[in-house]
Amino acid sequence: QRVRYDEDEGTVTLEYEGQNTAGGCQFLQKQISKNFSYFTVKIENYGKLGRIAVGLARRNYPLHRRLGGNKDSVAFDCHGGKLLYQRRREMATPAQEGDVIGCGIKYDTNSKGPGSNTVVFFTRNGDEIGHQTVESPKGGLYPTVGLSSKGEKVIVLRPRQR
């Protein structure tokens, strides 16, 4: 366990406690759905390297893998301002400590569930900064935060619909 998960009075704090930069992911418990389509985290501490990633992954995504490295996850790389989905591409300027990063799904009437294309979007401080069309895996997508260096810390804000 490289990522410490603390829940106190409805507030969830995630902090990297590993000894190296191998990284770790932490899923939030609830699957993204039409009733829970968006989540946000506040960057409390960038830690040693600042490799925080916020996104979505399939439920059984390997916790030691970097988010966005393949088609089973998609993420915003807060440090580099990059969209991570099978490859890296420019999306926005890097996030700063104190920024609130959001990730969600845009549902439409054509969504057909697993195997269909889904639009995942990202926000910073409430403003949309980019999106990516991804294939929705069987079992759905889960809010996921990736942390990779000592001291990285985020607070998960109350999930909501956007």
Side-chain angles (χ1 to χ4, degrees):
Q1 177 87 14
R2 296 183 193 128
V3 177
R4 182 171 53 88
Y5 179 103
D6 279 338
E7 187 168 0
D8 184 31
E9 297 181 21
T11 299
V12 175
T13 302
L14 305 175
E15 186 170 4
Y16 186 80
E17 294 185 329
Q19 297 302 311
N20 55 35
T21 58
C25 294
Q26 179 68 51
F27 295 108
L28 302 183
Q29 300 300 315
K30 194 170 183 180
Q31 178 181 344
I32 287 287
S33 67
K34 288 184 180 180
N35 294 325
F36 171 63
S37 61
Y38 178 69
F39 80 105
T40 57
V41 300
K42 181 178 181 184
I43 300 172
E44 285 291 300
N45 192 322
Y46 248 140
K48 186 176 179 181
L49 299 175
R51 293 188 180 154
I52 298 168
V54 177
L56 302 172
R58 65 179 162 83
R59 183 66 183 152
N60 56 351
Y61 191 78
L63 296 178
H64 65 280
R65 292 194 67 182
R66 180 104 169 117
L67 280 179
N70 60 42
K71 70 178 182 133
D72 293 326
S73 70
V74 59
F76 174 62
D77 167 22
C78 296
H79 175 71
K82 306 268 194 289
L83 172 75
L84 307 175
Y85 181 63
Q86 300 182 36
R87 62 183 175 83
R88 301 170 72 87
R89 76 171 168 86
E90 296 293 326
M91 187 163 70
T93 57
Q96 305 295 316
E97 287 181 356
D99 281 348
V100 175
I101 305 300
C103 179
I105 289 183
K106 293 182 180 180
Y107 282 96
D108 64 30
T109 56
N110 298 323
S111 183
K112 307 221 183 335
S116 67
N117 287 336
T118 301
V119 177
V120 176
F121 68 94
F122 298 91
T123 63
R124 179 174 47 222
N125 301 323
D127 297 323
E128 187 168 331
I129 55 174
H131 64 274
Q132 174 68 47
T133 301
V134 302
E135 184 178 313
S136 184
K138 185 177 181 179
L141 292 165
Y142 287 78
T144 310
V145 176
L147 304 173
S148 299
S149 70
K150 191 83 170 162
E152 291 176 352
K153 181 178 179 180
V154 300
I155 294 176
V156 180
L157 303 175
R158 189 173 300 271
R160 63 185 188 269
Q161 217 175 335
R162 181 174 165 92

